[in-house]
Amino acid sequence: MHEKKKTWLTFLFEVIVLAVLFTIVQYAITVGLINQSYHINITSMCINIILAVSLNLINGFTGQLSLGHAGFMAVGAYASVIMTNNLGMPFIVGILAGCLAAGIAGFLIGVPTLRLKGDYLAIATLGFGEIIRVVLQNIDYVGGPAGMVGITRLTSWPWLYASTIVTILVIVNLINSSYGRAIISVREDEIASELMGINTTSYKVLAFVVGAMFAGLAGVLYAHFFYIIKPETFGFLKSFDIVVMVVLGGLGSTTGAVIAAIFITFLTFALQKYAAVRMIIYSLILIIVMIYRPQGVMGSKELTRKTFARIWGGKK
Amino acid sequence: MSLLEITNLHKSFGGLSAVLKFNFRLDTQELVGLIGPNGAGKTTVFNLITGVYKPNGGSIVFNNENIAGLAPYNICKKGVARTFQNIRLFKDLSVIDNVKIAFHKNVNYNLLNTILRTPAFFRGEKIIEEKALEYLKIFKLEDKRDEIASNLPYGEQRRLEIARALATKPIMLILDEPAAGMNPQETRELMQLIEWIRQDFQLSILLIEHDMSLVMGVCERIYVLDYGQIIAHGLPEEIRNNKKVIEAYLGEEVG
Ligand SMILES: Nc1ncnc2c1ncn2[C@@H]1O[C@H](COP(=O)(O)OP(=O)(O)O)[C@@H](O)[C@H]1O
Ligand SMILES: [Mg+2]
């Protein structure tokens, strides 16, 4: 009974912390404490968190190296803009359509490619990511190479915040369950996993589809913040950026993915003025991390309630 | 009644026939040994039964159903579980998670319950946790539940692998050289454990052993494999004195 009460209190505390964080930023935006460039920074940060956490489900937890995440982001972005701008639907319909379209694309690409292993899978997903980009370039309805412009800014702080939390919650809950254990067992030893009665292919596809859906969500938020989307934005370099975040944070750590996404966003932001040295510093950090901590910042560890309880207990 | 009936099984790798004209029978609740020199094809037979390899020919009838060529996860669901010659645990996961994964095929909550953390999820997880602990207790591993599997001593890793296999609730358990790398004391204990789980879980067991003396004690019948073919089969005493068997093993010692 006592244990249950404690769990509820912890939960309540967490909700309050999240609500306070939300309110502070919302207030700062409303009264103009946050200028345009900071606003862009916060938006990019949330979008990067969604991208990194969702790719980590595929690359980190399932162990399937995918290099086409930006492709699903593109599908989500374009599908949602068609709904909102071209068809005049409300934002929520755009969000759902974006996620759904990206999920379907994930399924269609995942089923044939996930039979491949390691490098072959990486190359196949890279190829599909590029195919998505090239296809978009050649559809006049979505503007061809020029992309879609004049998109209404609908991505507000509440949408961003809610999307980021939902992404993290869904993926953390999925991983910490029997389904999550099945997914991780695929990464650990595919043959042993099969012999435990787990249809490894279907779990790879599940992780791929869920990851793609959230990449789609990130695409929706991106499109409705930056007014314009172009096929180039979602090319190989974007996919590579997301992979870097996941590797930097630690494959198989959601906490790591979040930390790395925040770090990379701020780094990009801070180095904006020094465009010439930006890529050098960026690469240097990567090299240093890979030499001194090849498993990434967090390895496969997570910050959980237990970790906080330990820190708290240790201080007393 | 025969539980497993293998007829004319054939598997080749490139030009090499690793298993040829292989015939085999295992009755319900029998403990049968498959022995033979190194490279005879024993592990290949196990890989064929469990679906890791697809046979080039022949049939594997298990529980009145031909399972030859089915996917491994389907064969597991039909009630076949195995261990590996070189242990294949989920090395970086905890001891208890290794066993919990075996219960996934019967998980009784769905993805929606998982994501929304409904009461059904917590109930289901509690059941899985309790069942996993039961199996750890049987194999005296409950104190190590939160240790990383690869940190266990060798003998305990072997036991954990058997625990994990049993947790899939098999009708037939197949063990690939379970005593490999164990000292005589550990081997004796393991053999007693195998005998005990057969009684307690009412299992049919197929056991591969390289060391002939080991299987003589526990197995009811023995098949001897050499160069992918059965060269003898019968009661332990018959095998012990079989000329072909002695030659096969002698040949190995000389070569
Ligand atoms: N995947 C494989 N590819 C090629 N040859 C294999 C493969 N698996 C087994 N073999 C060959 O099949 C033969 C039997 O091997 P194996 O079944 O492991 O023997 P045992 O378990 O009796 O020691 C060996 O010659 C081995 O090299
Ligand atoms: Mg072998």
Side-chain angles (χ1 to χ4, degrees), chain B residues 13 16 18 37-44 53 85:
Chain B
F13 298 107
L16 173 95
N38 265 326
K42 305 180 294 294
T43 300
T44 304
Y53 295 157
Q85 186 171 347

mmCIF file of all heavy atoms in Angstrom, chain B residues 13 16 18 37-44 53 85, ligand 1:
data_model
loop_
_atom_site.group_PDB
_atom_site.id
_atom_site.type_symbol
_atom_site.label_atom_id
_atom_site.label_comp_id
_atom_site.label_asym_id
_atom_site.label_seq_id
_atom_site.Cartn_x
_atom_site.Cartn_y
_atom_site.Cartn_z
ATOM 1 N N PHE B 13 26.469 -28.910 -47.705
ATOM 2 C CA PHE B 13 27.047 -27.563 -47.806
ATOM 3 C C PHE B 13 27.977 -27.577 -49.008
ATOM 4 O O PHE B 13 29.014 -28.225 -48.969
ATOM 5 C CB PHE B 13 27.837 -27.211 -46.547
ATOM 6 C CG PHE B 13 27.007 -27.170 -45.309
ATOM 7 C CD1 PHE B 13 27.092 -28.159 -44.348
ATOM 8 C CD2 PHE B 13 26.113 -26.122 -45.095
ATOM 9 C CE1 PHE B 13 26.327 -28.117 -43.203
ATOM 10 C CE2 PHE B 13 25.341 -26.074 -43.952
ATOM 11 C CZ PHE B 13 25.448 -27.074 -43.009
ATOM 12 N N LEU B 16 29.803 -30.865 -49.967
ATOM 13 C CA LEU B 16 29.928 -31.781 -48.830
ATOM 14 C C LEU B 16 28.566 -32.151 -48.235
ATOM 15 O O LEU B 16 27.789 -31.281 -47.884
ATOM 16 C CB LEU B 16 30.788 -31.103 -47.758
ATOM 17 C CG LEU B 16 30.893 -31.823 -46.416
ATOM 18 C CD1 LEU B 16 32.136 -32.679 -46.375
ATOM 19 C CD2 LEU B 16 30.875 -30.816 -45.278
ATOM 20 N N ALA B 18 26.836 -33.030 -45.238
ATOM 21 C CA ALA B 18 27.082 -33.038 -43.791
ATOM 22 C C ALA B 18 26.189 -34.051 -43.097
ATOM 23 O O ALA B 18 26.556 -34.635 -42.083
ATOM 24 C CB ALA B 18 26.852 -31.646 -43.213
ATOM 25 N N PRO B 37 32.133 -38.705 -33.536
ATOM 26 C CA PRO B 37 33.357 -37.899 -33.480
ATOM 27 C C PRO B 37 33.098 -36.457 -33.917
ATOM 28 O O PRO B 37 32.048 -36.149 -34.498
ATOM 29 C CB PRO B 37 34.311 -38.588 -34.447
ATOM 30 C CG PRO B 37 33.597 -39.745 -35.017
ATOM 31 C CD PRO B 37 32.201 -39.767 -34.530
ATOM 32 N N ASN B 38 34.057 -35.599 -33.662
ATOM 33 C CA ASN B 38 33.945 -34.201 -34.090
ATOM 34 C C ASN B 38 33.740 -34.082 -35.589
ATOM 35 O O ASN B 38 34.381 -34.781 -36.354
ATOM 36 C CB ASN B 38 35.224 -33.448 -33.725
ATOM 37 C CG ASN B 38 35.062 -32.737 -32.400
ATOM 38 O OD1 ASN B 38 33.970 -32.276 -32.077
ATOM 39 N ND2 ASN B 38 36.133 -32.667 -31.637
ATOM 40 N N GLY B 39 32.841 -33.222 -35.992
ATOM 41 C CA GLY B 39 32.602 -33.011 -37.414
ATOM 42 C C GLY B 39 31.721 -34.072 -38.039
ATOM 43 O O GLY B 39 31.547 -34.111 -39.256
ATOM 44 N N ALA B 40 31.115 -34.942 -37.217
ATOM 45 C CA ALA B 40 30.280 -36.024 -37.753
ATOM 46 C C ALA B 40 28.968 -35.497 -38.317
ATOM 47 O O ALA B 40 28.359 -36.127 -39.172
ATOM 48 C CB ALA B 40 30.008 -37.051 -36.666
ATOM 49 N N GLY B 41 28.535 -34.353 -37.843
ATOM 50 C CA GLY B 41 27.282 -33.786 -38.334
ATOM 51 C C GLY B 41 26.193 -33.685 -37.276
ATOM 52 O O GLY B 41 25.028 -33.414 -37.595
ATOM 53 N N LYS B 42 26.555 -33.862 -36.012
ATOM 54 C CA LYS B 42 25.553 -33.852 -34.943
ATOM 55 C C LYS B 42 24.870 -32.497 -34.811
ATOM 56 O O LYS B 42 23.642 -32.397 -34.789
ATOM 57 C CB LYS B 42 26.231 -34.207 -33.595
ATOM 58 C CG LYS B 42 27.001 -35.507 -33.610
ATOM 59 C CD LYS B 42 27.638 -35.820 -32.272
ATOM 60 C CE LYS B 42 28.732 -34.853 -31.835
ATOM 61 N NZ LYS B 42 29.946 -34.871 -32.667
ATOM 62 N N THR B 43 25.678 -31.446 -34.750
ATOM 63 C CA THR B 43 25.101 -30.111 -34.604
ATOM 64 C C THR B 43 24.254 -29.755 -35.822
ATOM 65 O O THR B 43 23.195 -29.118 -35.688
ATOM 66 C CB THR B 43 26.216 -29.060 -34.396
ATOM 67 O OG1 THR B 43 26.938 -29.392 -33.209
ATOM 68 C CG2 THR B 43 25.651 -27.662 -34.258
ATOM 69 N N THR B 44 24.703 -30.210 -36.995
ATOM 70 C CA THR B 44 23.917 -29.949 -38.198
ATOM 71 C C THR B 44 22.528 -30.580 -38.084
ATOM 72 O O THR B 44 21.526 -29.968 -38.461
ATOM 73 C CB THR B 44 24.664 -30.481 -39.431
ATOM 74 O OG1 THR B 44 25.965 -29.895 -39.466
ATOM 75 C CG2 THR B 44 23.930 -30.150 -40.706
ATOM 76 N N TYR B 53 18.828 -24.469 -40.149
ATOM 77 C CA TYR B 53 19.133 -24.807 -41.542
ATOM 78 C C TYR B 53 17.906 -25.430 -42.186
ATOM 79 O O TYR B 53 17.126 -26.102 -41.529
ATOM 80 C CB TYR B 53 20.269 -25.836 -41.632
ATOM 81 C CG TYR B 53 21.614 -25.384 -41.138
ATOM 82 C CD1 TYR B 53 22.557 -26.326 -40.729
ATOM 83 C CD2 TYR B 53 21.962 -24.040 -41.094
ATOM 84 C CE1 TYR B 53 23.814 -25.931 -40.275
ATOM 85 C CE2 TYR B 53 23.210 -23.649 -40.651
ATOM 86 C CZ TYR B 53 24.128 -24.592 -40.235
ATOM 87 O OH TYR B 53 25.358 -24.211 -39.788
ATOM 88 N N GLN B 85 25.895 -25.688 -28.569
ATOM 89 C CA GLN B 85 27.217 -26.211 -28.219
ATOM 90 C C GLN B 85 28.084 -25.098 -27.628
ATOM 91 O O GLN B 85 28.683 -25.264 -26.577
ATOM 92 C CB GLN B 85 27.865 -26.792 -29.469
ATOM 93 C CG GLN B 85 29.173 -27.485 -29.196
ATOM 94 C CD GLN B 85 29.661 -28.222 -30.425
ATOM 95 O OE1 GLN B 85 28.928 -28.412 -31.396
ATOM 96 N NE2 GLN B 85 30.904 -28.648 -30.392
HETATM 97 N N1 LIG C 1 27.115 -23.548 -42.020
HETATM 98 C C1 LIG C 1 27.982 -24.437 -42.511
HETATM 99 N N2 LIG C 1 28.595 -24.206 -43.689
HETATM 100 C C2 LIG C 1 29.472 -25.097 -44.193
HETATM 101 N N3 LIG C 1 29.797 -26.238 -43.607
HETATM 102 C C3 LIG C 1 29.223 -26.548 -42.430
HETATM 103 C C4 LIG C 1 28.294 -25.660 -41.819
HETATM 104 N N4 LIG C 1 27.876 -26.205 -40.642
HETATM 105 C C5 LIG C 1 28.522 -27.379 -40.533
HETATM 106 N N5 LIG C 1 29.328 -27.597 -41.602
HETATM 107 C C6 LIG C 1 30.158 -28.782 -41.825
HETATM 108 O O1 LIG C 1 29.375 -29.917 -41.593
HETATM 109 C C7 LIG C 1 30.147 -30.912 -40.946
HETATM 110 C C8 LIG C 1 29.460 -31.337 -39.677
HETATM 111 O O2 LIG C 1 29.587 -30.316 -38.730
HETATM 112 P P1 LIG C 1 28.847 -30.355 -37.315
HETATM 113 O O3 LIG C 1 27.438 -30.688 -37.529
HETATM 114 O O4 LIG C 1 29.157 -29.101 -36.606
HETATM 115 O O5 LIG C 1 29.591 -31.574 -36.588
HETATM 116 P P2 LIG C 1 29.562 -32.033 -35.067
HETATM 117 O O6 LIG C 1 28.554 -31.225 -34.340
HETATM 118 O O7 LIG C 1 29.203 -33.479 -35.118
HETATM 119 O O8 LIG C 1 30.933 -31.835 -34.515
HETATM 120 C C9 LIG C 1 31.523 -30.342 -40.739
HETATM 121 O O9 LIG C 1 32.367 -30.807 -41.794
HETATM 122 C C10 LIG C 1 31.301 -28.862 -40.844
HETATM 123 O O10 LIG C 1 32.451 -28.226 -41.328
#
